[in-house]
Amino acid sequence: MLKSGQVVERFIGFYTLENGNTAAFADLILTDLQNRNIDIILCRGQAYDGASVMSGIKNGLQTK
């Protein structure tokens, strides 16, 4: 049982995308979390390699 506020980190997996745009990334992440019954509202985190598709202020995955 987790204590309130306890941080837990889990590796989910590696994935391959045919189309590497932000819509494809967002769809993959949100679908996978939904399939695992993980509420995105309870998730926190940020990780990317600096590529604009990930960190763009207007259309990046971080924004979506």
Side-chain angles (χ1 to χ4, degrees):
M1 184 75 162
L2 295 177
K3 295 179 182 178
S4 178
Q6 182 177 359
V7 176
V8 177
E9 181 179 7
R10 298 284 187 259
F11 174 75
I12 293 178
F14 291 109
Y15 300 88
T16 302
L17 290 173
E18 296 296 322
N19 184 350
N21 63 28
T22 57
F25 274 106
D27 185 52
L28 173 72
I29 292 167
L30 294 173
T31 300
D32 192 60
L33 291 175
Q34 185 177 31
N35 289 341
R36 296 170 184 274
N37 294 317
I38 299 172
D39 187 351
I40 188 69
I41 298 300
L42 301 175
C43 296
R44 299 291 180 268
Q46 181 175 331
Y48 49 87
D49 64 0
S52 63
V53 73
M54 301 298 279
S55 61
I57 293 171
K58 294 183 180 181
N59 292 314
L61 180 61
Q62 180 179 346
T63 302
K64 297 203 178 296

